[in-house]
Amino acid sequence: MGGRGSLLLPGGGRARLRFSVAMSSPEIASLSWGQMKVKGCSTTYKDCKVWPGGSRTWDWRETGTNHSPGVQPADLEEVVKKGAQTVVIGRGMSEALQVPSSTVDYLKKNGIEVVVLQTEKAVEEYNALAARGVKPLQRRNIFRNNFCCAKQKTND
């Protein structure tokens, strides 16, 4: 990801800098019923979205998501905009969260590979992909950007 920055110099001068930052996908450090920890993040998540360089709570209320009909394209717009090439979706520990074909089609139409698994398996797959993409902008392979959308509790 390219960027622009400013360097403040003594005497009030400025120098313009151009820089490139290769962000790796953070590892999911631990998973248990109702709790997920992302490496390098102090937050304990119930549900989360993870992408190269960050993570955040996945708040179902933002898009009106529920177990059925499940994950909607609106839940994934954020990661599509971030340039994800592979999306791993966890369906919950008991696989109660649905992933409709329309959601899978939405990702595929955007050129994104989709993997849908039970949450524990999704985390294993995501971590394996993230490990292969440590320097995503230099490796330039299909796992350059990975995203995990993982659901924990199934009794919401």
Side-chain angles (χ1 to χ4, degrees):
M1 172 164 112
R4 203 178 273 161
S6 292
L7 172 65
L8 295 176
L9 301 171
R14 286 180 181 249
R16 282 277 184 215
L17 302 175
R18 289 190 99 45
F19 56 90
S20 179
V21 179
M23 285 190 250
S24 61
S25 299
E27 176 185 335
I28 296 175
S30 66
L31 172 70
S32 61
W33 190 268
Q35 294 186 51
M36 192 172 337
K37 293 285 291 174
V38 174
K39 191 173 184 177
C41 179
S42 60
T43 304
T44 298
Y45 298 109
K46 175 182 152 205
D47 303 320
C48 72
K49 295 182 181 186
V50 184
W51 61 86
S55 64
R56 76 171 184 90
T57 296
W58 178 20
D59 184 350
W60 288 21
R61 293 172 294 187
E62 291 173 354
T63 58
T65 297
N66 211 327
H67 289 112
S68 181
V71 182
Q72 301 301 303
D75 293 310
L76 303 170
E77 284 178 5
E78 178 179 17
V79 296
V80 169
K81 289 177 183 174
K82 290 181 184 295
Q85 290 183 345
T86 302
V87 173
V88 179
I89 302 173
R91 294 193 51 219
M93 299 297 241
S94 301
E95 298 185 87
L97 180 62
Q98 301 300 303
V99 182
S101 59
S102 59
T103 299
V104 172
D105 291 344
Y106 166 75
L107 292 168
K108 288 182 177 180
K109 284 178 185 171
N110 281 282
I112 298 169
E113 183 179 342
V114 185
V115 179
V116 179
L117 298 166
Q118 184 269 353
T119 292
E120 290 163 309
K121 292 177 181 167
V123 167
E124 287 175 23
E125 177 70 11
Y126 168 81
N127 280 344
L129 294 172
R132 288 187 234 162
V134 174
K135 295 183 179 176
L137 293 180
Q138 294 168 358
R139 294 207 41 191
R140 308 294 288 177
N141 61 29
I142 194 162
F143 306 119
R144 186 174 67 135
N145 292 315
N146 305 303
F147 164 75
C148 184
C149 191
K151 170 67 183 151
Q152 282 291 296
K153 291 175 83 173
T154 57
N155 59 354
D156 288 335

